[in-house]
Amino acid sequence: MTYQHALRYLTAADAASRGSTRPLLRAYVSLTKAAPPLFIRFTASKLGHTAALFLRNVLIQAGIACLHWVDDVKVEPKLRFWLDGKPVTPPLLSRLAGELHDMEIATPDVTLSDVERSAAFLCRLAAKEECRVVLFESNQDAPLLPAFCAIYPRLSSLVVLSDKNDTIPESVRANVRLLISPTYGPAFYRRISDVCAANSIRLEIIKKSRRSAITLGTQTLSYAKFPDCRISSGSRLCAEAAFLAMECVQALGRLRVSIPAEALQNGLNRTDLSHGLHLRCIHPLTLSDGVTSDEELLVTLSDLDELSAHFPSPRRLWLDDALSDIPSPLSAFFDEISRAGQKTDLSENGTTFVIGSTEFIESFLENARRKPKKA
């Protein structure tokens, strides 16, 4: 099986489950004997993705092998599977996906869904590479955790919420050991605590925390009994994601996955936050923020408002065409708002903001830095 064929096989959205798939899934994973890893599920949102990145880098710094799966159709298939912070190599991915494909073809009246294929591949890869932790990002309606439960009936999982509308699917509540969430108010707490109490799930809400030494490119975070940690962004969202990752570290410690304080500090500090209010250039002052929805855009605007004292005028915004116009009260923050198709340049005496998808940001910055040809 070629690499491209393997990627399509694992991520094809049109693959639908048919027949009794559980025996096939378990037979494939059992080809490599190993104890089940610990699964940590993050909500597929900007906050959830950032928290997963933080925790992934902390695990790497601690020398703990981990897998990371990003369930997002906007992400290239080859960038959805990560092993110890690097995309899974083509030979390894192709070989393991090919083995699953051959077993599926040889099993009559059974077809695996794309979710089942991804889950089986991740479990097999975790066993082969002796990964103790599997991180994955998925939407509430994506049945990746139920697929893991079908493979490992007694698996242990942690769920990290980053959306106040998120819940734990009833089909997997028996396998969830702990739930971690930001503070979303009394109504949310009552709803989620009732679910946790009924299913013997430990609930951890982000505790009192402190941010200090906040600049455009860094801030210092104080949380629980951890030593102070620095991250490379002044964004409040990035800080909240780091607090979620710190709470995950505490939970892993209770599950006998020990992470030294130095690994925590280095992991948080070295995490690439190019999608989170990233300081691109000082002269001229240029910042970018990765945004894929209007909801994420509102969070970005809140971050900008908090850091407004650091932004000299005139403030010019370049906004991705895929995003809606900024509401009038909030648009007053910017002196000028531009879209694609206009002349791409940076504000030499003020601040330039570039907000949108990764492709939009990189394309804009490349064009802005390109020097005009001499006549």
Side-chain angles (χ1 to χ4, degrees):
M1 177 177 281
T2 67
Y3 180 52
Q4 294 301 325
H5 185 194
L7 289 173
R8 286 195 299 271
Y9 171 70
L10 293 174
T11 61
D14 57 347
S17 180
R18 180 172 61 92
S20 180
T21 60
R22 186 171 298 184
L24 172 59
L25 294 170
R26 292 182 178 177
Y28 169 72
V29 174
S30 66
L31 291 175
T32 303
K33 301 293 184 181
L38 177 67
F39 294 87
I40 305 180
R41 180 257 189 182
F42 295 84
T43 308
S45 65
K46 185 172 181 177
L47 177 59
H49 177 64
T50 307
L53 289 180
F54 275 130
L55 183 58
R56 184 179 82 185
N57 282 292
V58 169
L59 292 170
I60 291 171
Q61 290 296 315
I64 298 171
C66 68
L67 287 179
H68 183 193
W69 157 248
V70 181
D71 184 17
D72 188 345
V73 295
K74 297 186 290 295
V75 176
E76 289 183 72
K78 66 180 181 181
L79 298 179
R80 298 185 200 177
F81 300 93
W82 297 79
L83 173 61
D84 291 336
K86 299 178 181 178
V88 177
T89 60
L92 180 58
L93 187 144
S94 300
R95 180 165 60 82
L96 296 186
E99 291 177 2
L100 179 59
H101 177 265
D102 292 343
M103 291 181 67
E104 183 178 352
I105 293 298
T107 307
D109 302 322
V110 171
T111 301
L112 299 175
S113 68
D114 58 312
V115 171
E116 289 172 323
R117 291 170 183 172
S118 294
F121 171 80
L122 289 169
C123 290
R124 176 75 185 284
L125 182 59
K128 184 181 183 307
E129 299 296 325
E130 299 181 348
C131 295
R132 298 178 66 185
V133 180
V134 175
L135 313 176
F136 65 99
E137 304 169 38
S138 67
N139 294 314
Q140 180 181 340
D141 57 352
L144 194 58
L145 190 51
F148 286 137
C149 294
I151 297 170
Y152 293 124
R154 296 183 179 180
L155 71 79
S156 295
S157 66
L158 278 65
V159 173
V160 182
L161 301 185
S162 53
D163 186 330
K164 62 182 177 181
N165 296 317
D166 203 358
T167 59
I168 308 175
E170 188 172 353
S171 59
V172 299
R173 289 176 182 176
N175 300 91
V176 177
R177 296 277 298 275
L178 185 142
L179 184 143
I180 299 171
S181 172
T183 303
Y184 285 129
F188 170 84
Y189 179 79
R190 285 194 297 271
R191 174 171 62 84
I192 207 69
S193 60
D194 287 346
V195 172
C196 290
N199 294 275
S200 300
I201 299 171
R202 179 169 178 157
L203 174 62
E204 294 289 354
I205 301 294
I206 294 301
K207 305 176 184 67
K208 184 178 180 180
S209 53
R210 184 170 60 86
R211 303 163 61 210
S212 60
I214 302 172
T215 68
L216 295 182
T218 61
Q219 60 183 304
T220 300
L221 307 178
S222 302
Y223 188 74
K225 296 181 180 180
F226 292 118
D228 287 354
C229 301
R230 291 183 68 81
I231 62 173
S232 59
S233 173
S235 162
R236 178 178 290 277
L237 178 140
C238 291
E240 188 171 22
F243 294 138
L244 287 172
M246 290 166 140
E247 192 61 52
C248 286
V249 169
Q250 286 194 323
L252 289 172
R254 289 191 289 268
L255 297 173
R256 299 182 181 180
V257 181
S258 180
I259 297 175
E262 185 178 1
L264 173 67
Q265 291 175 306
N266 291 337
L268 295 181
N269 189 42
R270 296 178 183 180
T271 300
D272 177 11
L273 297 174
S274 55
H275 65 286
L277 206 57
H278 185 48
L279 183 60
R280 293 282 184 163
C281 183
I282 294 291
H283 303 292
L285 184 56
T286 308
L287 297 98
S288 67
D289 197 79
V291 168
T292 58
S293 68
D294 293 337
E295 290 77 14
E296 291 180 357
L297 177 59
L298 292 177
V299 175
T300 293
L301 295 174
S302 176
D303 277 347
L304 293 178
D305 183 62
E306 181 184 64
L307 296 168
S308 59
H310 297 278
F311 305 132
S313 294
R315 300 167 179 170
R316 186 172 185 182
L317 168 65
W318 289 88
L319 192 63
D320 195 333
D321 283 338
L323 301 171
S324 300
D325 291 332
I326 297 176
S328 296
L330 299 175
S331 63
F333 179 86
F334 305 101
D335 297 292
E336 185 176 353
I337 299 177
S338 303
R339 295 276 189 171
Q342 298 177 248
K343 182 182 177 182
T344 56
D345 57 1
L346 305 177
S347 179
E348 292 292 338
N349 300 315
T351 310
T352 301
F353 303 94
V354 189
I355 299 177
S357 66
T358 300
E359 294 76 14
F360 169 76
I361 293 171
E362 296 304 328
S363 175
F364 171 86
L365 293 176
E366 181 181 353
N367 291 332
R369 291 168 184 155
R370 191 175 296 159
K371 294 182 180 179
K373 294 180 179 180
K374 294 183 179 179

